[in-house]
Amino acid sequence: MAEHRSMQRAALLDAARSLLSEGGTEALTFPALAERTGLARSSVYEYFRSRAAVVEELCEVDFPVWAAEVSAAMERADTAEGKVEAYVRQQLELVGDRRHRAVVAISASELDAGAREKIRAAHGGLVAMIVEALGELRHEQPRLAAMLVQGVVDAAVRRIELGAAEEPGAITDAAVSMALRGVRG
């Protein structure tokens, strides 16, 4: 029974990811979740009390995985500059991934305080990784620089998501070179 419930919960989360990546947070509704999973709408309420609860659980499940992938890419780099490059590249590489699109949709949406706090904590974890690399580069204001590098990443994510005129690879290369030139100061 418990196993069945956890499978249904996983199916609901997966349906939520698809809905978010297709239509943003407006697309994430209980009727849509019920339709995608073949569950009765009343059953959806047995698992989640609100849309915010779905979003919160997705943050808990997906953000750490996403952050771990960025972290692993940074650990493979030998130099501090290589770590900065890996930080930018890996995040942009994940853009096509449904989990990432869901994360972006969630970040852009109106969330309750609990979900916002979880996102902030996860983003804080990402930014902390880059702060360390910037410290190794002897940057005078590593924390500020880290936030600005993340701003470049976020702008590049939006550009790729919009299907801009440039190829995603070109956007990624431009973001990497901007970040590296910026942190070298």
Side-chain angles (χ1 to χ4, degrees):
M1 183 67 196
E3 192 178 323
H4 178 67
R5 281 191 69 81
S6 77
M7 276 168 61
Q8 285 195 327
R9 190 175 206 95
L12 283 164
L13 287 175
D14 204 50
R17 275 182 204 103
S18 294
L19 290 164
L20 283 165
S21 77
E22 289 159 23
T25 40
E26 297 78 63
L28 180 62
T29 64
F30 278 27
L33 281 173
E35 193 183 323
R36 284 284 165 106
T37 54
L39 291 169
R41 200 185 308 186
S42 58
S43 300
V44 178
Y45 283 98
E46 287 174 32
Y47 291 92
F48 297 105
R49 65 186 183 286
S50 64
R51 269 173 22 142
V54 178
V55 165
E56 222 171 296
E57 186 147 335
L58 270 180
C59 294
E60 272 175 50
V61 173
D62 288 355
F63 260 126
V65 176
W66 190 51
E69 287 174 31
V70 175
S71 174
M74 289 176 74
E75 281 165 24
R76 289 192 293 273
D78 304 327
T79 63
E81 283 192 355
K83 285 183 185 0
V84 172
E85 176 165 354
Y87 179 84
V88 175
R89 266 190 204 287
Q90 187 62 36
Q91 286 192 66
L92 296 177
E93 215 167 277
L94 292 168
V95 169
D97 186 310
R98 267 182 339 140
R99 271 178 331 194
H100 181 279
R101 279 213 295 276
V103 160
V104 171
I106 289 168
S107 302
S109 71
E110 293 301 306
L111 295 173
D112 67 357
R116 264 204 312 272
E117 200 36 62
K118 289 198 173 70
I119 289 177
R120 250 201 307 276
H123 266 288
L126 273 180
V127 172
M129 293 189 254
I130 191 101
V131 169
E132 196 178 322
L134 293 169
E136 287 173 40
L137 285 171
R138 307 244 182 287
H139 200 285
E140 283 162 28
Q141 292 178 289
R143 183 109 195 113
L144 174 61
M147 301 307 265
L148 296 175
V149 167
Q150 187 58 46
V152 168
V153 171
D154 294 341
V157 164
R158 277 193 300 279
R159 193 107 189 118
I160 293 170
E161 289 275 345
L162 288 170
E166 311 87 1
E167 283 294 307
I171 296 171
T172 299
D173 291 344
V176 165
S177 104
M178 189 171 270
L180 287 175
R181 281 205 300 270
V183 298
R184 286 183 196 124

